[in-house]
Amino acid sequence: MGNICTTPGAADVAAPARTRSSTSSGAASEVPLKPVSALDSLLAAKVKAYIALHHVQASKSLNQIVLKFPSILKAFEEIRGIFKQLDTNGNGTIERDEFTAACGKMAAGVSADVIEKIYTEADMDQNGHVNYKEFIIMMAVLFLMTDEAAGEAVQLGQLPGEAEDGQSATLVHTAIQKVLEAFLFFDNDADGYILKDEVHKVISEGDGGKKMLSAERFEEMDWDNSGRVTFKEFLFAVEGWVGLEEEPQEEE
């Protein structure tokens, strides 16, 4: 897959003023960070607000993160039913019009411009369709945009054909909560971004989990080479770590 695309026509905005320090000798070297997309900047603020409101606690070790992989995978798989409901033409992907129509019920308070940005940036391979792995990212971003933590008047609402029991919001909330616990393990100052130096520090001081979560694997997360890992990039990486497949595994 290619790099995460910035939204066409959207102005790039710099994240909070931060720099990274890295030299082979360990001496500090100030390196300016590249700007991220407008949506990523907005998402970082929503992540911070969500963490504060829901009192999300960071995982305590790399091993603890690895031990959570089965429960994270289960949470991802439970969202698959939402994907099938939105895939009204049954072609195995979510088209732009399907997502836009569903947002009329799920996120009535989110602007059409933001909905367009969410779809465009969730389409990470830029093929004009959103597959299941990309769909999880899209739903997570949409959920964070409509959560009470942001001070919005709306929440993730009812899906077409769904009983009025809040099940969709509960499933997405569970998945996000588990991923954010891992995200916070690396995002030391909880500002909504992970710096490369934060990752390298954790890896160098880590426990046995570093065999599975090596520094090299984390280098791959920063798709846009901005010097930071956004929540969207991290979520996509976690899908690979836990073994999420495009199609559900059939039981033997």
Side-chain angles (χ1 to χ4, degrees):
M1 288 187 180
N3 287 355
I4 293 177
C5 61
T6 54
T7 305
D12 282 344
V13 294
R18 296 183 64 180
T19 57
R20 52 178 172 169
S21 58
S22 58
T23 64
S24 57
S25 63
S29 173
E30 298 300 317
V31 181
L33 299 174
K34 296 179 183 179
V36 296
S37 73
L39 181 63
D40 274 329
S41 183
L42 178 60
L43 181 58
K46 301 294 187 181
V47 166
K48 289 168 61 178
Y50 182 93
I51 289 168
L53 180 69
H54 297 285
H55 308 292
V56 180
Q57 298 296 313
S59 297
K60 295 182 177 166
S61 70
L62 287 170
N63 272 338
Q64 187 179 74
I65 293 173
V66 173
L67 289 173
K68 288 181 179 179
F69 280 1
S71 62
I72 292 174
L73 177 59
K74 181 180 178 182
F76 286 161
E77 289 292 353
E78 287 177 342
I79 301 175
R80 202 177 289 273
I82 303 174
F83 178 83
K84 290 180 178 178
Q85 289 185 63
L86 266 62
D87 181 18
T88 55
N89 64 7
N91 69 347
T93 62
I94 303 299
E95 313 306 322
R96 192 178 300 270
D97 61 336
E98 291 174 327
F99 179 60
T100 302
C103 282
K105 287 192 174 183
M106 289 193 301
V110 178
S111 71
D113 181 59
V114 170
I115 289 172
E116 177 72 16
K117 287 182 173 69
I118 291 173
Y119 187 92
T120 299
E121 294 202 22
D123 180 17
M124 296 176 75
D125 56 10
Q126 304 177 47
N127 67 355
H129 310 280
V130 169
N131 61 31
Y132 182 59
K133 288 184 178 181
E134 294 168 332
F135 172 75
I136 289 179
I137 295 171
M138 189 164 67
M139 289 298 293
V141 173
L142 183 64
F143 181 82
L144 288 168
M145 293 294 174
T146 58
D147 187 72
E148 288 179 318
E152 304 286 352
V154 296
Q155 291 180 282
L156 188 66
Q158 184 182 356
L159 285 165
E162 181 186 43
E164 296 183 10
D165 57 2
Q167 182 181 18
S168 60
T170 300
L171 293 176
V172 178
H173 173 87
T174 299
I176 289 176
Q177 188 92 3
K178 291 177 183 297
V179 174
L180 277 175
E181 288 169 2
F183 185 81
L184 277 178
F185 179 67
F186 301 99
D187 180 16
N188 293 331
D189 56 6
D191 72 337
Y193 298 99
I194 300 174
L195 291 185
K196 293 294 180 67
D197 287 350
E198 290 176 319
V199 171
H200 294 160
K201 182 175 183 293
V202 167
I203 294 295
S204 65
E205 297 176 355
D207 47 37
K210 64 185 178 183
K211 293 179 181 178
M212 189 163 192
L213 303 177
S214 65
E216 289 76 16
R217 293 184 75 175
F218 277 98
E219 290 290 339
E220 297 172 359
M221 288 194 297
D222 184 18
W223 284 19
D224 57 6
N225 297 312
S226 66
R228 63 175 72 79
V229 173
T230 66
F231 179 70
K232 190 175 62 191
E233 290 172 319
F234 184 79
L235 178 56
F236 192 75
V238 169
E239 290 178 347
W241 298 342
V242 303
L244 182 68
E245 301 290 342
E246 284 296 335
E247 298 294 333
Q249 296 274 338
E250 293 186 6
E251 296 183 4
E252 296 182 359

